[in-house]
Amino acid sequence: MSTNTNNNGLYDVADLQHIANELFKALPNEFPKEISLSPDHNDHPKATKVVETLLSTGNLAEFTPNTSLQNPTTAYPSHSPVSGLGVSPSVGNYANTGVAGLYPVTDLDTVFPNDKNFNINNPNTGFSDVNLKGSSNDNNPFSSFALNDNYLPFQTQSSSFESELREALASVNTAFGIQPALTLNPAEAQNSYYFLENNPFAFDKKNSFPTAGKGSSFHGIHQLKSTPFDANLIKKDFPILSEKVNGKPLIWFDNAATTQKPKSVIDRIAYFYEHENSNIHRAAHELAARASDAYEAAREKVKTFLNAGSINEIVFVRGATEGINLVAQSWGDNNLSAGDEIVVSNLEHHANIVPWKRLADKKGLKLRVIPVDDDGQILLDEYAKLLNSKTKIVAFTQVSNALGTVTPAKKMVEMAQAVGAKVLLDGAQSVSHMKVDVQDLNADWLVFSGHKIFGPTGIGVLYGKEDLLNDMQPYQSGGNMIQDVTFEEIKYHKAPNRFEAGTGNIADAIGLGAAIDYVTKIGINAIGQYEHYLLEYATKLLKEIPGVRLIGTAANKASVLSFNLQGYSNDEVGQALNKEGIAVRTGHHCAQPILRRLGVETTVRPSLAFYNTTQDVDKFIETLWELKKVRF
Ligand code: PLP
C-alpha cells in the first residue's frame, strides 16, 4: 500500500481517506461504508482506534487540530477515553473518531497485520470486530481496545466505575460457576447459541424435540457451555437485534413494553407447527400426544421457574392483564361484598387498577391506594395504616413498569396476610430481571406475560395456590374445563384446566417454555446482576446530562430509566433516538397515576435487558448529548 507524501514528507490525507474507504467498504454491514477524515465527522470507533493506536505508537504526527475540536465542549462527560488526546471527546466506549489533522507516517498494512484477507462475501474475514469476543488476536494493534476473552467492551476502560463494574461482572461469572471462556471461532459465533453445544440433533426426547437421525434443521437448546456472561454474544441469539433501523444497528431499549425473542424460541414455535401441531388432551393420535406433551412440559418449566409447589398451580392465560381480570372476576366477584376494601399501590400499571376499580364500582367496594415517596418508593408506614379487617385483597406490582421501582414484595405480602387479606402480585416486570420464587414470596396469586420474558405474545401465566384456585369459580366456560356435562348439571375440572376453557394458545405456551429454558440456562441471577450494573452505568451517564430529570429514583430499581429532557418534548427525544436506531417508549406507559404523582404526564422510558450492552448505552447517551448541543 503506498500513498503520496506532502511537502513535510507526511502522507496525503485524500489518499489516506481513499485507502480507508476501500478498507471499510469491504467490511460487514455494521460498519459504515464511507468514513471521512474531516474534523467534522464522527464515524466509527474502528477509525478512532486506528488513529489512537497510531498516535500512541508515534506513527501519526499531530498537526494543528481544527479549533472547534481543540476546545472540548463542556457538553461531554469527563470519563471519555479520548479526552486527553486534544481532540473532541466523546462518551464511553465510543470515542469520537477525532482523526482530524492527523497525518499518517506509516503503511496501513502495519496497522492491520493479520486482517488483510478480506472476502467481501464472507463476514468472517476482515479484521477483528472489537465488540466480538474471541475475534481479537494478540498481534492486533488494537488489542488494548479489543475485548479480551473475559471482558465486555467497556471493561477495557480505566475509570474507577468501570473497574468496579469489571470486578462485579467477574464475580457474576464466578458466583454462578461459569468457567473461563471457550474461544468461539467466528463460524461458531455465527451459528450457535451463546451457551449451547452446536449439535442440532441432540434434543431431549421428552420435550418432543427431534432426535438424532431425524434430519431436522432445528437448532435448539441442548446444553450449557462453560462461557462467561457476555452480552455481545447473547445478542447474537436474537435475530432481530441484527436489524438496521434508519441505517443504524437496532438498539432495543423498549424491553418493558416487550422483549425480543431468541432464535431458540422462534425455532421451537416453528418446530411445533412443522412436527407436532394438534389440539391437545383429547385424541388418541400421535400428534395429539406430541402437542399435549409439549404443552404440559411447558407448564412444568413454568412451575420450576417460579418454584411453584405443583403444576396444578400454573394456569396459562393470555398475559398479565388476563390473569388479573381472571382473579378480579372469578375470585373478587364471588368473594367480596359492599364495604370490603381493595388495596393497590400508586405504582400500578392500568392492568392492575382498572379491573379492581370496575369491581369496586360494581359491588360498592372501597379502592385504597398505597402512597409512594418522591423517589417512587412504597411508603410502608402508610401502607400499614391502610390495612384492617375490611381489607380483602392487596394487589401490587413487584417492579414498576414506569419507574423501575422494586417493591419490598415479601414484606408487603406478609403485612397483608397478617390482616387476613389475599395478595395478588403483578410479576409482569419482575420475572425477566430477578428470581421470583412464589413459595418464598407467598403471594396467593402471581401473574406475568410471556412476551416480556423473551417469549411470544398472547401467552402468559397465572400462578395461584392450588386450594385457592380450586375454590374459585371458572372464568370462562366451555370445552376443556369440564369433567362432565348434562343439561341438569355441570362438573368442572380442577385447576389448571378449570381456567383453560376452549382451545388455548398451545404453540405459544410451548414457545414460552423455550424462553424459560433460555433464561434459565443463562441464569436469572446472573442476568439480574448484569442488568443491575448496566442500569447503574446508564443512570450515572444520564444524570451527567444537564437538563435531564430522572423520574423514579428509588434505591432499588430494575431495568427502567424514565426521564424528561429539558427543552425537548418526549416525542422529540424518542424520534431523535429512533433516527439513531434506538427504540425507547415515550408516553404515559399505562401508568398515569404514578407519573402524575411525580408531576409529569409522560416520560421517555428506555428499559434494559440482558442483551443490551454498555455500547448501546453509550450510543444512547451520545445521542442525548447531541440534542443538548442543539437546544439547551
Ligand atoms: N403489569 C405491568 C407492571 C406491566 O408492565 C404490564 C405491561 O406493560 C402489564 C401488567 C400488562 O401486561 P400485558 O399487556 O402483557 O397483559
Side-chain angles (χ1 to χ4, degrees):
M1 214 177 277
S2 68
T3 56
N4 298 319
T5 54
N6 68 9
N7 293 342
N8 301 323
L10 298 174
Y11 290 169
D12 188 272
V13 167
D15 277 358
L16 179 65
Q17 185 167 304
H18 174 74
I19 291 164
N21 278 322
E22 287 300 308
L23 187 66
F24 275 72
K25 268 183 208 146
L27 294 175
N29 285 343
E30 68 262 28
F31 290 87
K33 292 300 169 216
E34 191 87 328
I35 65 160
S36 164
L37 298 186
S38 112
D40 302 318
H41 283 75
N42 178 3
D43 286 317
H44 193 275
K46 184 65 75 180
T48 311
K49 292 181 196 321
V50 175
V51 173
E52 285 176 340
T53 304
L54 292 175
L55 261 181
S56 68
T57 55
N59 284 330
L60 273 185
E62 209 168 340
F63 94 132
T64 312
N66 178 302
T67 46
S68 68
L69 293 175
Q70 262 190 322
N71 179 16
T73 61
T74 49
Y76 286 93
S78 57
H79 78 287
S80 164
V82 291
S83 53
L85 288 179
V87 293
S88 178
S90 181
V91 192
N93 213 47
Y94 275 87
N96 186 299
T97 46
V99 291
L102 300 169
Y103 282 164
V105 293
T106 187
D107 191 299
L108 283 182
D109 284 353
T110 61
V111 180
F112 304 112
N114 293 297
D115 289 321
K116 291 186 294 186
N117 301 320
F118 300 120
N119 170 353
I120 200 157
N121 295 318
N122 181 357
N124 292 326
T125 63
F127 58 74
S128 316
D129 182 341
V130 291
N131 302 331
L132 250 192
K133 188 160 67 67
S135 65
S136 58
N137 70 57
D138 290 345
N139 300 323
N140 188 324
F142 305 121
S143 59
S144 63
F145 301 101
L147 282 176
N148 292 320
D149 277 351
N150 291 321
Y151 297 107
L152 289 165
F154 57 90
Q155 292 175 302
T156 52
Q157 296 174 20
S158 55
S159 82
S160 63
F161 179 79
E162 281 137 12
S163 0
E164 243 173 59
L165 194 50
R166 181 181 334 165
E167 276 164 32
L169 280 163
S171 76
V172 172
N173 289 329
T174 37
F176 297 95
I178 299 169
Q179 302 301 313
L182 296 178
T183 304
L184 288 182
N185 66 42
E188 247 186 307
Q190 285 274 320
N191 298 331
S192 69
Y193 297 109
Y194 156 59
F195 51 79
L196 306 175
E197 200 168 274
N198 195 14
N199 176 355
F201 299 108
F203 297 106
D204 178 359
K205 191 153 188 275
K206 201 170 131 244
N207 293 335
S208 307
F209 279 63
T211 49
K214 284 199 177 170
S216 163
S217 62
F218 183 78
H219 288 243
I221 287 173
H222 176 51
Q223 182 180 312
L224 184 63
K225 248 185 180 176
S226 301
T227 311
F229 192 97
D230 186 331
N232 285 294
L233 281 183
I234 285 171
K235 227 177 211 206
K236 293 193 166 292
D237 289 348
F238 294 76
I240 206 169
L241 297 179
S242 303
E243 278 296 297
K244 292 270 167 72
V245 170
N246 293 321
K248 309 284 169 54
L250 170 65
I251 295 175
W252 186 254
F253 276 176
D254 198 12
N255 294 290
T258 199
T259 53
Q260 300 302 349
K261 321 305 169 200
K263 183 94 166 43
S264 58
V265 168
I266 298 166
D267 285 350
R268 187 64 190 86
I269 295 167
Y271 183 82
F272 171 78
Y273 284 120
E274 286 170 1
H275 301 281
E276 299 166 332
N277 180 43
S278 164
N279 213 324
I280 51 172
H281 296 159
R282 288 186 294 256
H285 59 72
E286 167 70 16
L287 292 194
R290 285 187 200 171
S292 302
D293 281 358
Y295 183 77
E296 291 306 328
R299 198 191 305 277
E300 181 79 40
K301 287 171 190 182
V302 175
K303 178 219 141 198
T304 306
F305 184 65
L306 295 179
N307 192 30
S310 156
I311 52 166
N312 298 331
E313 299 184 321
I314 306 300
V315 179
F316 283 123
V317 289
R318 239 174 4 102
T321 301
E322 190 175 52
I324 296 166
N325 277 278
L326 189 160
V327 174
Q329 289 175 37
S330 296
W331 182 84
D333 211 5
N334 291 295
N335 289 280
L336 303 181
S337 45
D340 286 343
E341 295 183 1
I342 299 171
V343 173
V344 297
S345 91
N346 206 342
L347 292 169
E348 300 314 305
H349 185 281
H350 296 165
N352 205 20
I353 299 173
V354 181
W356 302 115
K357 172 74 178 133
R358 290 184 70 202
L359 189 65
D361 290 350
K362 177 179 167 191
K363 300 188 68 100
L365 315 171
K366 190 164 178 187
L367 187 63
R368 308 189 74 184
V369 181
I370 311 167
V372 298
D373 65 15
D374 292 344
D375 292 313
Q377 304 175 114
I378 294 280
L379 289 166
L380 279 177
D381 290 350
E382 298 300 318
Y383 172 49
K385 289 183 205 158
L386 295 179
L387 297 170
N388 61 61
S389 60
K390 284 187 266 173
T391 314
K392 292 295 183 290
I393 180 164
V394 178
F396 69 95
T397 191
Q398 200 173 4
V399 174
S400 149
N401 71 307
L403 311 183
T405 308
V406 179
T407 58
K410 191 171 171 180
K411 173 91 191 145
M412 290 173 72
V413 171
E414 266 172 34
M415 289 167 73
Q417 289 172 344
V419 297
K422 299 267 182 276
V423 181
L424 181 143
L425 197 52
D426 180 351
Q429 296 293 344
S430 60
V431 289
S432 59
H433 303 297
M434 61 188 64
K435 177 71 195 152
V436 173
D437 178 329
V438 288
Q439 295 193 58
D440 181 50
L441 287 164
N442 201 29
D444 298 279
W445 303 277
L446 178 133
V447 295
F448 73 90
S449 299
H451 70 98
K452 292 188 198 283
I453 183 168
F454 317 104
T457 51
I459 190 74
V461 169
L462 165 69
Y463 155 84
K465 289 181 177 167
E466 190 167 355
D467 290 347
L468 183 57
L469 289 178
N470 287 331
D471 263 358
M472 286 161 59
Q473 290 300 307
Y475 175 52
Q476 296 183 334
S477 40
N480 204 38
M481 47 81 74
I482 44 77
Q483 251 176 20
D484 193 70
V485 176
T486 66
F487 287 110
E488 287 70 42
E489 193 192 8
I490 294 167
K491 287 192 182 137
Y492 303 117
H493 273 309
K494 290 190 165 182
N497 292 3
R498 184 187 201 81
F499 299 105
E500 293 182 4
T503 299
N505 189 348
I506 303 163
D508 292 322
I510 295 166
L512 173 58
I516 285 175
D517 280 340
Y518 186 88
V519 166
T520 304
K521 295 214 168 164
I522 291 177
I524 190 69
N525 290 329
I527 288 170
Q529 281 207 31
Y530 172 72
E531 288 179 353
H532 174 75
Y533 289 105
L534 193 62
L535 185 66
E536 299 249 304
Y537 179 80
T539 305
K540 174 180 177 284
L541 294 179
L542 194 57
K543 276 181 173 164
E544 287 173 5
I545 302 173
V548 162
R549 180 188 164 202
L550 264 173
I551 313 289
T553 42
N556 196 0
K557 282 181 60 170
S559 172
V560 173
L561 290 147
S562 257
F563 69 96
N564 297 143
L565 181 63
Q566 192 188 6
Y568 287 89
S569 75
N570 293 322
D571 283 348
E572 283 176 322
V573 176
Q575 282 156 17
L577 290 166
N578 182 53
K579 271 196 193 134
E580 297 302 318
I582 304 168
V584 299
R585 188 134 302 235
T586 58
H588 59 49
H589 321 303
C590 295
Q592 287 177 306
I594 186 57
L595 293 189
R596 289 183 178 144
R597 160 65 182 84
L598 298 182
V600 293
E601 280 293 317
T602 64
T603 68
V604 183
R605 184 194 65 178
S607 49
L608 311 175
F610 64 93
Y611 43 56
N612 295 130
T613 62
T614 48
Q615 287 183 311
D616 295 343
V617 171
D618 290 343
K619 182 73 201 155
F620 159 72
I621 296 287
E622 192 178 298
T623 308
L624 297 180
W625 278 108
E626 290 302 322
L627 286 179
K628 274 326 270 184
K629 277 203 265 182
V630 178
R631 224 187 273 169
F632 243 92

